[in-house]
Amino acid sequence: MSDDLIKEAREALEASYLYDRDNRREAAEDLRFVAGYQWNRSALAERKGRPTITINRSQQFLRQVSNPIRQNMPVLKVEPDGDDQSDTAEIVNGLLRRIQYNSSAGHVYATAVEHAVACGIGWFRVTTDYADSSSFDQEIYIKRVFNPLTVYPDPGALEPDRADMSWCLVSEPMPMKTFKARFPDASTSSLDPPSNSGSEVLWGTGEWIRVAEYWRRKEVPGKLVQLSDGSVFELTQDGEKQLEALTAQGLVVNVRDVKSYQTEMTLVSGNEQLAETYVFPCKYIPLIPVIGAEVPLDKGTYRHGLIRFQREPQQLHNYFLSVAAETMGQQPKTPYLVTQKMIGKFKGLWDNANRDATPYLPYEPDPSAPGARPERMNPPALPTGLVEMARMMAEDMKAATGIYDAALGNRSNETSGVAIAARQEQGSQATYHYVDNLEHSLEHLGRILVDVIPKVYDTERQMRLVGEDDTEKDITINQPVMEFDGQPVIRNDIRNAKFNSVRVVLGPSYASRRQEAVQTLMQLVQALPQVGAVAGDIIAKNLDFDGAEQLAERLKAVLPPQVLQLENPEQMQPPPPNPMEEAQAEASLRMMEAQTVTAEAKAAQETAKVEGVQLDNAHKVKRLTDPPPRSEFDRNAGNQAAAGRLF
């Protein structure tokens, strides 16, 4: 098994190297160029003994992209899928910040971006280690990959973050003395057997030996089961009998095959396994790239960074400045026009005139050239074309990178702040794809960390977590507090934490935002002094000096009551009564009542008049329509007649 593993590792390394050979060769040249080795061998041979000046401007363009990452460390956040996960999400976010701070992650990310800008690709990794020498608890760390060319990824991986890698190697030559000290029982013979004699990747010589981390991502088949109560869980390899039992009980609603992964790492040399295979608690290979730019071609992929197209104008810039320096250096050495007779006695003094500080040069008049004396020839004029070409190459470097004067800190044609900001924004847009690629890689980093955290932080322990405002608090995770129905109830349980959404926040850190807030508030106070009377405590709280908190408390104590009550609206009390205002209000009320009574009286009078007129008219109508009154006799006769009809 070990021999098969060694053969597999050697073949994987060879396949990765051959697929990416051209990119690796150009990347190595890019890194040498950034380091200052900007003259090729033929140019150096041609100018042997002559000036070969190097004005390395590549570093300036590179740092312009990478240093903002150092100033503003990205923040990883998980989003809860439901309200019941909000507390767990807060703890996991605190762990993510803890991991980043403990790992100096800003430096790790910036190094990877520098490599992506310089040679087209950078790498960083996730690893675990014991918290200290006296503990069995492990911590998660984010580490840089110092040399990006030591990583040999799976050529079949197509994702920008290489999340779909099936295997990957991290390999570099190790000095033989160091190898023997680290692996005293390991063999150093038969490193390159005849069967691999045609390989382009050597695994060892007499001076060094290649050691490789061989990472493999193995597929582990499984089954996802849904029960009648709606619960869903994944069966392990030994769960077939359990599935049969659940099916017989009629509890299984749905079953489907799923794929999970197990990641392993084996440390190998060219002919043997150097350590036991290590199982990393994650379904991804914990190596994350940051890509510069990739262009798909007929045969493979062309990958480059910012420096690739800056190399040629930089080389021409160096050449023209070197020729200009050579021309100027020859000016003090322009020869004299003399005759042999003039300097015959003083030849030794004249021969060293350009090396020694000679106050005077004696000579003898030449009888054959009456009136003649030694004269220096005019020095060669500095060709203005050389200076102009060097200036043109400097502009070509800016055009090739998209970073111009305003972004480089130099004065340009823009004079207004808006114009300068627009030019700086133009430079940022030209290189924004590097930041965007970093963000994509950090999202994959977040997925790896979310997968690893429940498996590493799986015991009860007290931890100090970092809040979003850089404050720290102690919390105990996975803490049993009671039992319910025979099962322990765990407080702050993150062993089963799962989050489907990871967000990356790129922007100023909390400290930078505080400084910006103070500057904005101070400008606002200058424009509106009344703001200082109600916001003094807020300004003092954001200041960064000892005693700022105490000053903020004192300023808060002298704030007007109305401002203090705004912080607790439920405790707001009505203002005390004002006697003058109460008297005015009472007078206004009485006036309104008097006006109301007067209006009601007038309305009653008008109503009475109308009713009187109506009654008078009705009385007149009645008099005209009623019959005349009858006498007493007529009334009695009428009554008797009516009575007779009834009986």
Side-chain angles (χ1 to χ4, degrees):
M1 179 62 182
S2 178
D3 293 340
D4 294 339
L5 179 64
I6 300 303
K7 181 180 178 181
E8 182 182 328
R10 294 176 69 103
E11 292 176 350
L13 183 64
E14 183 79 10
S16 179
Y17 174 80
L18 292 177
Y19 178 81
D20 214 30
R21 176 172 47 191
D22 294 338
N23 285 326
R24 298 181 73 87
R25 182 178 60 250
E26 291 292 334
E29 185 62 29
D30 290 336
L31 293 175
R32 285 180 53 84
F33 199 85
V34 171
Y37 298 94
Q38 299 180 351
W39 288 83
N40 56 45
R41 294 180 179 178
S42 59
L44 288 174
E46 179 185 353
R47 296 189 60 81
K48 184 177 181 181
R50 302 163 65 186
T52 52
I53 296 174
T54 299
I55 308 297
N56 189 356
R57 305 191 67 182
S58 301
Q59 291 277 359
Q60 185 180 21
F61 293 104
L62 187 150
R63 298 285 188 264
Q64 190 65 31
V65 181
S66 64
N67 279 347
I69 306 299
R70 299 178 187 271
Q71 294 176 330
N72 305 310
M73 187 177 71
V75 177
L76 301 177
K77 289 186 176 181
V78 295
E79 300 292 342
D81 298 327
D83 294 338
D84 57 334
Q85 289 186 309
S86 58
D87 294 338
T88 305
E90 183 180 356
I91 297 174
V92 173
N93 284 327
L95 283 172
L96 292 175
R97 285 187 288 268
R98 172 191 175 96
I99 293 169
Q100 290 189 106
Y101 278 100
N102 290 346
S103 306
S104 298
H107 176 71
V108 174
Y109 303 152
T111 301
V113 172
E114 283 184 6
H115 291 157
V117 175
C119 65
I121 190 170
W123 292 85
F124 59 93
R125 66 195 307 173
V126 178
T127 185
T128 60
D129 198 359
Y130 290 105
D132 54 63
S133 59
S134 60
S135 173
F136 287 97
D137 293 332
Q138 289 197 332
E139 293 277 358
I140 302 174
Y141 296 97
I142 305 169
K143 299 291 186 180
R144 67 172 185 168
V145 175
F146 180 71
N147 184 357
L149 300 182
T150 60
V151 182
Y152 295 82
D154 176 9
L158 300 178
E159 294 295 330
D161 53 15
R162 302 301 190 264
D164 54 341
M165 289 189 300
S166 298
W167 51 265
C168 185
L169 292 99
V170 182
S171 173
E172 60 181 329
M174 181 180 294
M176 187 64 69
K177 185 177 181 180
T178 305
F179 178 81
K180 291 180 178 180
R182 289 186 58 183
F183 309 101
D185 298 330
S187 173
T188 58
S189 61
S190 302
L191 295 175
D192 288 298
S195 60
N196 288 329
S197 58
S199 174
E200 295 192 29
V201 181
L202 295 178
W203 281 80
T205 65
E207 298 179 356
W208 56 265
I209 184 171
R210 183 179 295 277
V211 176
E213 300 176 16
Y214 183 33
W215 292 87
R216 292 174 295 168
R217 186 173 180 241
K218 292 184 175 181
E219 184 178 308
V220 179
K223 291 184 181 296
L224 195 67
V225 180
Q226 183 179 15
L227 300 182
S228 57
D229 60 356
S231 60
V232 177
F233 64 94
E234 184 177 348
L235 290 179
T236 61
Q237 294 179 343
D238 301 330
E240 294 296 334
K241 293 183 178 180
Q242 183 182 2
L243 177 60
E244 293 177 1
L246 293 173
T247 304
Q249 297 175 15
L251 299 176
V252 177
V253 176
N254 197 2
V255 179
R256 71 179 181 91
D257 294 332
V258 294
K259 295 180 181 179
S260 58
Y261 297 91
Q262 176 178 297
T263 302
E264 298 178 351
M265 189 277 288
T266 306
L267 192 65
V268 300
S269 65
N271 63 349
E272 65 180 322
Q273 181 175 335
L274 300 175
E276 293 293 329
T277 298
Y278 163 65
V279 177
F280 186 73
C282 184
K283 59 184 177 181
Y284 300 105
I285 295 177
L287 290 161
I288 304 106
V290 179
I291 305 296
E294 291 184 325
V295 181
L297 301 177
D298 295 339
K299 297 181 180 180
T301 302
Y302 179 73
R303 185 173 59 248
H304 66 87
L306 187 74
I307 302 301
R308 185 73 51 82
F309 304 113
Q310 189 253 351
R311 278 163 43 181
E312 290 187 359
Q314 173 73 75
Q315 288 174 329
L316 289 173
H317 182 77
N318 294 338
Y319 172 77
F320 289 121
L321 287 180
S322 297
V323 174
E326 182 181 11
T327 304
M328 294 183 65
Q330 291 176 349
Q331 289 187 5
K333 298 181 180 181
T334 53
Y336 284 87
L337 290 176
V338 297
T339 64
Q340 187 174 3
K341 178 66 175 177
M342 291 180 183
I343 63 173
K345 295 181 179 180
F346 314 104
K347 188 176 185 301
L349 188 63
W350 280 80
D351 287 344
N352 295 313
N354 287 328
R355 290 189 293 269
D356 300 333
T358 304
Y360 55 86
L361 293 173
Y363 73 97
E364 286 186 343
D366 188 352
S368 61
R373 61 179 183 178
E375 293 182 2
R376 185 187 290 271
M377 296 179 61
N378 293 327
L382 177 64
T384 58
L386 294 175
V387 178
E388 186 61 27
M389 287 298 295
R391 186 179 295 111
M392 290 175 59
M393 292 304 102
E395 294 299 321
D396 286 343
M397 281 187 274
K398 300 172 189 175
T401 58
I403 302 177
Y404 294 92
D405 287 336
L408 295 172
N410 298 328
R411 293 191 60 182
S412 57
N413 295 331
E414 297 83 1
T415 56
S416 68
V418 175
I420 294 174
R423 178 56 65 90
Q424 291 176 340
E425 180 67 20
Q426 181 181 356
S428 299
Q429 291 177 356
T431 59
Y432 183 73
H433 57 286
Y434 294 100
V435 179
D436 185 63
N437 290 346
L438 171 65
E439 183 175 356
H440 194 87
S441 298
L442 292 179
E443 289 177 356
H444 182 49
L445 169 64
R447 290 190 290 269
I448 292 176
L449 294 177
V450 168
D451 191 28
V452 176
I453 282 175
K455 302 166 187 175
V456 173
Y457 301 99
D458 58 346
T459 59
E460 180 184 358
R461 66 172 93 173
Q462 188 174 11
M463 307 185 70
R464 176 161 294 182
L465 301 184
V466 180
E468 189 174 4
D469 57 352
D470 292 342
T471 58
E472 297 181 354
K473 64 177 181 179
D474 293 327
I475 188 172
T476 302
I477 61 173
N478 306 320
Q479 181 182 18
V481 292
M482 59 180 294
E483 286 192 2
F484 178 77
D485 196 18
Q487 298 294 327
V489 177
I490 307 299
R491 177 186 296 171
N492 301 328
D493 187 3
I494 64 170
R495 296 172 300 176
N496 298 314
K498 293 183 179 180
F499 299 94
N500 296 323
S501 178
V502 178
R503 184 161 56 98
V504 179
V505 180
L506 293 173
S509 63
Y510 178 75
S512 299
R513 294 198 302 271
R514 283 183 58 184
Q515 294 178 359
E516 292 176 0
V518 170
Q519 294 177 359
T520 303
L521 287 171
M522 294 301 294
Q523 294 174 359
L524 187 60
V525 169
Q526 292 178 358
L528 300 171
Q530 60 269 29
V531 173
V534 296
D537 60 323
I538 299 177
I539 298 174
K541 189 176 181 179
N542 284 279
L543 295 175
D544 190 13
F545 63 86
D546 294 337
E549 293 291 337
Q550 291 85 345
L551 177 60
E553 291 296 329
R554 294 185 181 185
L555 291 174
K556 186 176 181 179
V558 298
L559 289 175
Q562 296 86 343
V563 177
L564 294 174
Q565 289 174 355
L566 291 176
E567 296 184 1
N568 299 303
E570 66 278 359
Q571 300 179 1
M572 292 184 64
Q573 300 293 333
N578 189 328
M580 183 64 68
E581 293 180 354
E582 286 186 349
Q584 292 177 354
E586 185 176 357
S588 299
L589 180 61
R590 291 178 179 177
M591 185 177 295
M592 291 176 61
E593 290 177 350
Q595 292 176 352
T596 301
V597 171
T598 303
E600 291 178 351
K602 290 182 179 180
Q605 292 177 0
E606 294 295 332
T607 302
K609 289 181 181 180
V610 173
E611 292 178 350
V613 172
Q614 291 177 347
L615 290 173
D616 185 60
N617 292 336
H619 182 67
K620 291 178 180 180
V621 171
K622 182 174 176 58
R623 290 175 57 188
L624 292 174
T625 57
D626 287 349
R630 293 179 296 174
S631 61
E632 188 69 22
F633 175 81
D634 293 334
R635 286 195 295 272
N636 293 334
N639 292 335
Q640 291 175 359
R645 287 195 299 272
L646 292 175
F647 295 101

